[in-house]
């Protein structure tokens, strides 16, 4: 109990210090508006990577259409704010919730038939779903079609995106340390054994897929109200692959790894921008080298609490000696 409390206090203190440090750097002008925008984009990518890790890493199902759920949330949220005239403090949270709910509902609908399949078949179905959503957005009038959707109010700020990111991570950790989370992990480790001990595998597959889709929709709403112009081509297959790379690089099943990988992969192309034509080559080589020498990802399946406990255990052994 004391170890869990200590881990919680260390984690809470780290979050508070990180937030206050960033606010200070913003206000002091040490971090420019340009890099502040990159940090906001990184926070949105963290939400996407953490939510995808729930299905791909924890549930063990390969999903290639996460950008489709992001686009549903982005357009649902944007259309709500464009057609409502409410105070920002009321309108924006409702629009994010609506975007998440619509994306979650679509995730549940596609998950009911799709999650009866496994492996490559599920990946192909989710990939097809993502492309269907993109084509529908391109051909519907109320979404703006190929011209995109513009005039979206710029509501997303660092405060909003930071605290929603933290809330998402906390909720994911809470879920995975609960009875439901253990059932999801049991399905990943051995589906037949999970069914044999009474785990409702169909329910938990749809459950995890719906929650993952919900948070992808929330991330889409944040993205829409930050960029203020939505282009359907943004949510194509490559966007889903980018999110999947963040999950794989961080470690399948590690939310802490997803946070680190999302931040790193968002920042890396910007750090290499001065290299012009060579930056994409270096970016690709870095990913290949990482996968060769660290195929399990940055943290494997380890989480931040595990690292704290390991460090504390080492300290205790040294003190005992």
């Amino acid at each position: 109990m004391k170890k869990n409390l200590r881990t919680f206090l260390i984690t809470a203190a780290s979050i508070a210090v990180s937030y206050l440090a960033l606010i200070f750097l913003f206000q002091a002008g040490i971090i420019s508006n340009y890099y502040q925008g990159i940090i906001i984009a990184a926070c949105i990518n963290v939400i996407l990577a953490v939510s995808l890790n729930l299905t791909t890493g924890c549930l063990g199902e390969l999903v290639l259409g996460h950008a489709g759920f992001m686009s549903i949330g982005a357009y649902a949220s944007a259309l709500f704010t464009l057609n409502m005239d409410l105070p920002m403090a009321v309108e924006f949270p409702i629009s994010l919730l609506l975007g998440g709910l619509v994306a979650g509902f679509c995730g549940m609908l596609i998950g009911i038939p799709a999650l009866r399949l496994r492996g490559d078949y599920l990946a192909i179905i989710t990939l097809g779903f993502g492309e269907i959503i993109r084509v529908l957005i391109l051909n519907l009038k109320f979404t703006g079609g190929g011209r995109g959707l513009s005039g979206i109010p710029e509501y997303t700020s660092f405060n909003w995106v930071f605290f929603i990111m933290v809330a998402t991570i906390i909720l994911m950790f809470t879920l995975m340390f609960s009875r439901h989370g253990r059932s999801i992990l049991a399905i990943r480790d051995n589906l037949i054994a999970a069914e044999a001990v009474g785990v409702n595998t169909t329910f938990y597959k749809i459950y995890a897929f719906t929650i993952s889709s919900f948070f992808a929709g929330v991330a889409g709403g944040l993205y829409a109200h930050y960029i203020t112009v939505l282009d359907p081509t943004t949510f194509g297959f490559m966007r889903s692959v980018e999110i999947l790379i963040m999950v794989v690089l961080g470690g399948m099943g590690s939310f802490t790894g997803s946070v680190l990988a999302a931040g790193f992969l968002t920042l890396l192309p910007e750090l290499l921008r001065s290299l012009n034509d060579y930056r994409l080559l270096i970016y690709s080589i870095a990913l290949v080298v990482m996968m060769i020498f660290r195929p399990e990802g940055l943290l494997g399946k380890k989480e931040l609490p595990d690292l704290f406990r390991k460090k504390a255990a080492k300290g205790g052994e040294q003190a005992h000696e």
Side-chain angles (χ1 to χ4, degrees):
M1 186 67 180
K2 288 182 179 179
K3 287 183 179 179
N4 291 337
L5 179 61
R6 180 171 59 188
T7 302
F8 170 77
L9 292 174
I10 292 173
T11 305
S14 301
I15 293 169
V17 169
S18 301
Y19 173 74
L20 293 173
L22 286 171
I23 290 295
F24 172 77
L25 293 173
F26 292 156
Q27 293 180 347
I30 298 172
I31 296 180
S32 64
N33 290 335
Y34 174 73
Y35 281 102
Q36 184 175 345
I38 294 173
I39 291 171
I40 291 173
C43 290
I44 293 172
N45 284 337
V46 166
I47 298 171
L48 289 166
V50 167
S51 60
L52 180 60
N53 207 347
L54 177 62
T55 50
T56 300
C58 298
L59 184 63
E61 301 289 357
L62 181 59
V63 176
L64 289 177
H66 210 56
F69 299 114
M70 180 188 178
S71 66
I72 291 171
Y75 276 90
S77 181
L79 288 169
F80 179 83
T81 53
L82 285 172
N83 291 283
M84 292 292 166
D85 188 16
L86 299 170
M88 179 266 189
V90 176
E91 186 175 72
F92 188 42
I94 293 175
S95 73
L96 293 179
L97 181 61
L98 179 66
L101 289 173
V102 174
F105 179 73
C106 291
M108 182 181 68
L109 288 181
I110 192 68
I112 290 171
L115 290 169
R116 295 179 182 275
L117 305 173
R118 291 182 62 81
D120 298 340
Y121 299 105
L122 177 63
I124 291 168
I125 286 179
T126 53
L127 170 61
F129 169 75
E131 289 302 300
I132 288 169
I133 291 299
R134 187 179 63 83
V135 171
L136 284 175
I137 292 172
L138 277 168
N139 290 278
L140 292 174
K141 289 184 179 179
F142 66 88
T143 61
R147 294 176 301 172
L149 194 64
S150 59
I152 305 166
E154 190 176 354
Y155 287 157
T156 300
S157 64
F158 172 73
N159 288 335
W160 276 103
V161 79
F162 182 86
F163 287 112
I164 291 174
M165 177 192 71
V166 170
T168 302
I169 296 168
I170 290 172
L171 286 170
M172 290 296 177
F173 270 113
T174 304
L175 171 63
M176 295 316 298
F177 282 106
S178 69
R179 177 173 60 86
H180 302 297
R182 289 192 293 271
S183 298
I184 291 170
L185 292 174
I187 293 170
R188 178 193 68 185
D189 294 337
N190 194 314
L191 178 65
I192 297 172
E195 288 177 339
V197 297
V199 175
N200 189 339
T201 56
T202 302
F203 168 78
Y204 280 110
K205 283 183 178 183
I206 297 170
Y207 178 74
F209 200 70
T210 302
I211 292 175
S212 177
S213 304
F214 172 85
F215 283 106
V218 172
L222 289 167
Y223 175 82
H225 290 90
Y226 175 65
I227 299 297
T228 71
V229 176
L230 290 177
D231 180 3
T233 58
T234 307
F235 306 104
F237 168 66
M238 288 309 300
R239 181 60 170 149
S240 294
V241 172
E242 287 174 11
I243 303 167
L244 182 62
I245 289 172
M246 293 173 190
V247 174
V248 174
L249 181 64
M252 302 279 275
S254 172
F255 295 129
T256 307
S258 293
V259 173
L260 296 175
F264 174 72
L265 291 180
T266 305
L267 187 61
L268 182 61
E270 301 302 327
L271 295 176
L272 298 175
R273 190 171 289 278
S274 59
L275 298 175
N276 296 327
D277 296 336
Y278 296 100
R279 68 188 183 93
L280 291 177
L281 178 62
I282 295 171
Y283 174 77
S284 303
I285 291 173
L287 292 177
V288 171
V289 170
M290 180 66 194
M291 288 298 98
I292 291 172
F293 292 101
R294 186 77 178 176
E296 71 272 25
L298 292 172
L299 296 182
K301 294 180 182 178
K302 295 183 179 68
E303 297 289 3
L304 195 62
D306 299 328
L307 299 177
F308 285 144
R309 279 194 284 269
K310 190 175 180 181
K311 202 173 283 187
K314 282 185 178 179
E317 288 175 5
Q318 290 174 357
H320 182 69
E321 291 173 2

